[in-house]
Amino acid sequence: MRSAMPHLTAHLPENRLDGNEPELIAAMTEAIVEVYGEWARDLVGIRLAGVPGGRFAQGGKAADTNVSVTLGVRAGLFDRPDAAEISARLGAALTDAITRVAGEDLRAGTTVELVASPPERTFVAGAPVE
């Protein structure tokens, strides 16, 4: 069976994304490789979504300096003794990658969420992932 790991979806203000896609993809891929190692490079899947102005909100007000990253990881990551360290490194590395490319002023509004996928709930090409 094929392997699925890690996959990211990043929602950024559209005006920060336009024209920066190749650089963001490279920076986010490098962030994952920095934490997991070179073996993960070919497995990193990234989806970038531009959010038009006024469509991010915080506290009932438009917040066009927000970024939302969802990183799907294997559930086993959280069973490791170094899970807290790995999680913190992923959050920091992805935040650094985004702000390096799209602007430091996005740092305070950047959220990275790690979502665990157990093997029996992850499918690639219609087949369960081993």
Side-chain angles (χ1 to χ4, degrees):
M1 299 290 161
R2 291 178 50 203
S3 178
M5 189 263 120
H7 53 278
L8 299 93
T9 302
H11 292 85
L12 293 94
E14 198 165 283
N15 65 338
R16 301 297 183 96
L17 180 58
D18 286 342
N20 286 324
E21 295 91 344
E23 195 174 353
L24 276 166
I25 289 168
M28 292 172 77
T29 300
E30 290 305 318
I32 296 298
V33 170
E34 175 184 313
V35 176
Y36 280 111
E38 189 61 40
W39 65 268
R41 181 178 303 280
D42 290 340
L43 300 176
V44 177
I46 298 175
R47 289 156 210 85
L48 299 175
V51 179
R55 291 200 182 165
F56 265 121
Q58 185 73 40
K61 298 177 185 170
D64 290 332
T65 54
N66 282 11
V67 175
S68 173
V69 178
T70 303
L71 171 58
V73 297
R74 295 240 178 133
L77 169 71
F78 301 111
D79 296 333
R80 296 171 48 140
D82 59 350
E85 177 192 343
I86 297 285
S87 297
R89 288 179 58 205
L90 285 167
L94 287 166
T95 300
D96 289 347
I98 289 166
T99 57
R100 189 169 45 254
V101 174
E104 185 62 36
D105 61 319
L106 296 177
R107 183 175 296 279
T110 297
T111 301
V112 177
E113 180 182 12
L114 305 182
V115 178
S117 297
E120 68 275 9
R121 294 185 192 161
T122 304
F123 299 82
V124 173
V129 174
E130 291 181 356

